[in-house]
């Protein structure tokens, strides 16, 4: 869906505006039902920066430059790698032998994918760096959820209610936009998908999984995403991958599957 916005002439800033605006409107009934989040205000900036702004802005910008399969592969693979390394740095975990093996396979697959797509898609390497920045921000949020023991509904409402009022005036006044040229049907669909689907629903369930399962298993849930995205991008977006790129996607999926099937007990 994020890659599809390129075909619809939306800028990354437009997609972010629809995400934040849709999430804000969808959060208002939840605010009336659950009340204000009880997260201390001193923690709001980190949540807004890493979960609200860094992840979507970098991801949407990356999809302007790189194919859908590359974006899904790099982000699905990069998230567990970033979370594992940051958890060690923050003293919240360690990397066992099976996890180290899976992370090495994933990293090799990402490098192979970047090499395979660099010649066909101008800016593919820049897109890869943007995807990695996106998952680094989301990995920080993932670990903060565990460290601060954030409740899923409160973290979700904080992102939905505070990011929009901060971002939307900046977008309206300073950022390039093609929103006036986009049909309202497309605007409503994108706002619903990114605002309700991504921020409210996916954000809530992801945060809840982190609280129940921990960062390691949760970040591995997307193991099937790269393969599905590679298969769907061909008929839907016309982004056929070379045999080498398909091999790279397979390597990444194998690394993620290894982590899921053979988790370290202490990882």
């Amino acid at each position: 869906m994020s890659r599809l916005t390129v075909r619809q002439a939306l800028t990354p800033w437009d997609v972010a505006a629809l995400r934040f605006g849709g999430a804000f409107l969808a959060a208002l009934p939840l605010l009336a039902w659950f009340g204000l989040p009880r997260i201390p205000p001193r923690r709001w900036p980190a949540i807004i920066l890493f979960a609200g702004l860094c992840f979507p802005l970098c991801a949407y910008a990356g999809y302007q430059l790189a194919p859908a399969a590359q974006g899904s592969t790099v982000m699905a693979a990069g998230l567990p790698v970033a979370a594992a390394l940051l958890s060690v740095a923050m003293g919240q975990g360690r990397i066992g032998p099976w996890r180290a093996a899976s992370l090495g396979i994933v990293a090799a697959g990402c490098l192979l994918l970047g090499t395979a797509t660099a010649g066909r898609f101008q800016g593919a390497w820049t897109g890869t760096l943007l995807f990695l920045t996106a998952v680094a921000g989301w990995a920080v949020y993932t670990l903060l959820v565990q460290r601060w023991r954030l409740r899923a509904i409160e973290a979700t409402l904080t992102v939905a209610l505070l990011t929009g009022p901060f971002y939307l005036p900046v977008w309206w006044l300073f950022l390039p936009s093609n929103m006036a040229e986009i049909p309202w049907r497309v605007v409503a669909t994108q706002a619903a998908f990114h605002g309700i689907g991504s921020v409210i629903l996916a954000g809530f369930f992801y945060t809840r999984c982190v609280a129940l399962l921990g960062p390691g298993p949760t970040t591995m849930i997307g193991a099937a995403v790269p393969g599905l995205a590679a298969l769907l991008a061909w008929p839907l977006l016309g982004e056929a991958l070379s045999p080498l790129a398909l091999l790279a996607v397979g390597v990444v999926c194998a690394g993620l599957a290894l982590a899921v099937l053979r988790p370290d007990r202490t990882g």
Side-chain angles (χ1 to χ4, degrees), residues 242-267:
S242 66
L244 182 60
L246 289 174
L247 173 63
V249 173
V251 170
V252 170
C253 290
L256 293 173
L258 176 63
V260 172
L261 297 175
R262 296 298 300 266
D264 292 307
R265 295 181 180 274
T266 57

Side-chain angles (χ1 to χ4, degrees), residues 29-143:
L30 298 175
L31 176 64
W33 183 266
F34 292 102
L36 290 170
R38 292 185 291 275
I39 297 176
R42 68 179 182 276
R43 294 177 175 172
W44 293 354
I47 296 174
I48 294 172
L49 175 61
F50 295 114
L53 295 173
C54 178
F55 177 75
L57 290 178
C58 291
Y60 295 156
Y63 276 116
Q64 300 288 314
L65 302 171
Q70 180 171 343
S72 63
T73 301
V74 172
M75 288 196 289
L79 181 56
V81 174
L85 296 177
L86 287 172
S87 67
V88 173
M90 297 171 65
Q92 293 182 223
R94 73 178 190 87
I95 300 176
W98 284 108
R99 196 173 185 187
S102 70
L103 295 179
I105 295 172
V106 163
C110 286
L111 289 174
L112 183 61
L113 181 63
T115 301
T117 57
R120 297 191 57 209
F121 296 90
Q122 186 176 5
W125 276 113
T126 303
T128 297
L129 293 176
L130 288 167
F131 294 139
L132 291 176
T133 304
V135 298
W138 194 254
V140 172
Y141 168 72
T142 300
L143 296 174

Side-chain angles (χ1 to χ4, degrees), residues 104-247:
I105 295 172
V106 163
C110 286
L111 289 174
L112 183 61
L113 181 63
T115 301
T117 57
R120 297 191 57 209
F121 296 90
Q122 186 176 5
W125 276 113
T126 303
T128 297
L129 293 176
L130 288 167
F131 294 139
L132 291 176
T133 304
V135 298
W138 194 254
V140 172
Y141 168 72
T142 300
L143 296 174
L144 291 179
V145 168
Q146 183 186 50
R147 170 167 287 191
W148 292 342
R149 299 183 179 180
L150 299 178
R151 293 183 61 221
I153 187 62
E154 294 185 345
T156 302
L157 285 177
T158 299
V159 173
L161 292 171
L162 298 182
T163 310
F166 175 82
Y167 174 83
L168 291 175
V170 177
W171 166 76
W172 182 264
L173 294 173
F174 302 109
L175 298 178
S177 173
N178 294 327
M179 192 78 76
E181 305 170 11
I182 306 300
W184 277 105
R185 178 178 57 83
V186 174
V187 170
T189 301
Q190 293 288 345
F193 177 83
H194 293 284
I196 300 175
S198 297
V199 177
I200 302 296
L201 295 178
F204 172 82
F205 288 116
Y206 180 88
T207 305
R208 183 63 177 153
C209 284
V210 173
L212 293 175
L213 304 176
T218 302
T219 56
M220 289 294 185
I221 289 175
V225 172
L228 292 175
L231 293 176
L232 293 175
W234 193 338
L236 295 180
L237 300 173
E239 295 177 355
L241 294 181
S242 66
L244 182 60
L246 289 174
L247 173 63

